[in-house]
Amino acid sequence: MSLDLKGKGINTRVTHAGENPDSVHGSVGVPIYQTSTFKFRDADHGARCFSGDEKGYIYTRIGNPTINTFEEAVTELEHGFGGIATASGMAAVTAAYMTYLGAGSHMVGTDAVYGSSRMVMENDFSRFGAEYSFVDTANLDEVRKAMRPNTKLLYIETPANPTIKLTDIAACAEIAHEHGAVLVVDNTFMSPILQNPLTLGADIVLHSITKFINGHTDVVGGVLIAKTEEEFNRLKAVINNTGGTMDPHQSWLVLRGMRTLSLRVQRGEENAQKLAEYLEAHSKIEWVRYPGLQSHPQHDLAKRQMKGFGSMISFGVVGGVESGKTVLNNVKIPQLAVSLGGYESLIQHPASMTHHNIPEAERIEAGITDGLMRLSVGTEDVEDLQADLEQALALI
Ligand SMILES: Cc1ncc(COP(=O)(O)O)c(C=O)c1O
């Protein structure tokens, strides 16, 4: 019998979600079903599995016990109906676009989304006749203005990457539903520990598992979680047929990483709050954007829709890009690398790295300025991180 998680706290849920005791050998760890296909007992059994009259595994692209364990676990944390694990975060984003858009349909998206989430729409989905408007979704008037009769999808990322601007999820759910569109939320920056978009009215939540959920900077993956059976079935049909699915070993690794998610998120957030306050008071720092600071223009929204402020900080140094490079090249603990949400601190320069392919004018308009540095705060000792930043800033 699986543990009943109803009414249990987040730490118990992240530890035991999806647990399905092994009735054969009693293994506590989840077995890896490293197989591409499953043998039917007889011809009728095979036919019943295909028709859906009997539940059973058929083929790993369609379903696999190790993958399903991870999907059930993350679905439990996001309060959804069902989840579908994907090969990468971008496979999840693409599957959402593919499910809800077609020739002549339109989507409204956050202007400062992850670079590829914007590029795949502008360069690729547009070739198939889908229309798009990327706007500042932190401004609800802009969202309302951008909606059209053919808008099928409202796609938001909050906090946005890397501007750390927030979008009001509940308000966007209302706008989307008034227009007969679905609301998809990229919740990567918060993880299911700090924000649950489905409980705020969203229809679909997605994550790049590569980040906080796996948390160990050693696996790429993604997941989509639907609030209803209907949306789950729509997404699953598209992903099963297009094939951007996760594999069993990858699922086993990300489930292993996820068990410590709440501990890592808690520690990262404590560190980030202290570092954001330290940076804000520093004479070599021009500005800091972190939802836990009173100075964040949407600090009240952060308190309302998030359960914590996360561990992503953006900041600009006095002297612009050249001074920023001095920091990037001289910090010793945060590694100069893209990605985020791992146990270790990482620092990067979005304008020349993750968002380099967005045309300059669009990038600047979205708030991704040349001087913006992005810091993903890890689980190190905060005193060491602060001392390291101090010695790098002193070189400016
Ligand atoms: C917010 C966000 N969404 C989606 C993605 C894409 O995920 P992946 O790199 O796992 O494909 C990323 C990657 O950095 C991201 O930061």
Side-chain angles (χ1 to χ4, degrees):
M1 267 274 289
S2 305
L3 178 66
D4 180 8
L5 294 175
K6 217 162 168 198
K8 300 280 191 297
I10 188 63
N11 295 300
T12 307
R13 287 166 55 238
V14 79
T15 308
H16 294 288
E19 209 170 51
N20 195 4
D22 165 17
S23 57
V24 181
H25 300 295
S27 92
V28 173
V30 177
I32 309 174
Y33 287 87
Q34 194 69 51
T35 181
S36 59
T37 195
F38 296 83
K39 185 176 169 185
F40 304 119
R41 287 193 302 277
D42 54 36
D44 285 343
H45 175 227
R48 282 197 305 277
C49 286
F50 269 94
S51 69
D53 289 340
E54 187 174 331
K55 266 194 150 182
Y57 291 103
I58 296 173
Y59 184 63
T60 282
R61 175 160 48 73
I62 300 169
N64 171 293
T66 314
I67 303 172
N68 288 4
T69 303
F70 167 65
E71 290 169 336
E72 279 170 26
V74 75
T75 298
E76 162 68 33
L77 300 183
E78 282 289 19
H79 306 275
F81 171 82
I84 306 147
T86 54
S88 66
M90 281 316 301
V93 174
T94 306
Y97 290 170
M98 227 183 305
T99 303
Y100 295 108
L101 297 172
S105 61
H106 173 247
M107 94 151 202
V108 175
T110 303
D111 54 3
V113 272
Y114 174 62
S116 296
S117 303
R118 184 160 172 163
M119 283 301 100
V120 73
M121 176 58 57
E122 294 189 347
N123 295 343
D124 301 302
F125 279 85
S126 60
R127 290 187 289 115
F128 302 105
E131 299 163 15
Y132 57 85
S133 308
F134 285 103
V135 299
D136 178 6
T137 54
N139 179 344
L140 295 172
D141 286 338
E142 281 207 30
V143 178
R144 283 190 200 97
K145 259 194 271 162
M147 298 297 285
R148 300 180 191 164
N150 60 340
T151 305
K152 300 287 182 226
L153 171 64
L154 176 53
Y155 180 92
I156 63 174
E157 194 179 300
T158 178
N161 178 8
T163 55
I164 321 287
K165 266 194 187 179
L166 310 183
T167 296
D168 186 328
I169 298 171
C172 280
E174 245 179 65
I175 297 172
H177 297 155
E178 271 166 20
H179 289 79
V182 295
L183 175 65
V184 175
V185 181
D186 183 336
N187 199 25
T188 299
F189 266 41
M190 284 286 95
S191 91
I193 303 295
L194 297 183
Q195 184 169 269
N196 296 126
L198 299 183
T199 64
L200 298 168
D203 302 289
I204 314 288
V205 57
L206 72 82
H207 290 272
S208 165
I209 294 292
T210 318
K211 313 299 182 324
F212 288 97
I213 291 181
N214 178 60
H216 292 74
T217 322
D218 50 10
V219 182
V220 169
V223 72
L224 286 147
I225 302 131
K227 186 148 120 187
T228 64
E229 184 171 8
E230 187 190 344
E231 300 310 333
F232 171 75
N233 287 337
R234 285 180 77 178
L235 288 165
K236 188 152 174 66
V238 168
I239 296 168
N240 285 352
N241 289 331
T242 51
T245 45
M246 206 177 246
D247 76 63
H249 190 250
Q250 193 184 4
S251 300
W252 180 83
L253 282 167
V254 298
L255 188 61
R256 186 179 195 258
M258 198 181 83
R259 294 304 184 198
T260 56
L261 178 62
S262 63
L263 291 169
R264 288 184 281 103
V265 164
Q266 212 178 322
R267 173 59 169 261
E269 186 187 354
E270 280 168 18
N271 284 355
Q273 181 74 38
K274 288 184 187 149
L275 286 183
E277 287 169 11
Y278 153 77
L279 288 171
E280 194 167 47
H282 201 288
S283 60
K284 302 272 176 70
I285 297 290
E286 215 159 52
W287 57 268
V288 182
R289 197 48 55 87
Y290 177 68
L293 292 176
Q294 298 278 351
S295 61
H296 191 293
Q298 297 160 297
H299 183 60
D300 287 341
L301 174 60
K303 284 196 282 190
R304 203 163 69 235
Q305 79 177 6
M306 292 148 58
K307 297 172 189 154
F309 302 118
S311 48
M312 298 302 299
I313 304 176
S314 287
F315 62 93
V317 287
V318 172
V321 184
E322 285 314 309
S323 305
K325 276 190 192 161
T326 303
V327 176
L328 294 178
N329 290 336
N330 287 286
V331 283
K332 306 229 165 13
I333 299 176
Q335 298 176 65
L336 180 53
V338 298
S339 204
L340 59 112
Y343 61 88
E344 76 291 89
S345 296
L346 298 178
I347 194 162
Q348 68 121 341
H349 178 234
S352 66
M353 297 176 184
T354 41
H355 294 69
H356 81 280
N357 52 4
I358 299 180
E360 193 181 351
E362 283 177 31
R363 176 172 59 70
I364 306 266
E365 200 190 330
I368 308 164
T369 50
D370 289 343
L372 187 156
M373 311 286 149
R374 190 187 79 183
L375 179 63
S376 172
V377 181
T379 56
E380 299 94 342
D381 287 301
V382 71
E383 297 76 15
D384 293 334
L385 289 170
Q386 186 171 318
D388 190 28
L389 284 167
E390 183 67 33
Q391 64 77 27
L393 287 166
L395 299 172
I396 293 175

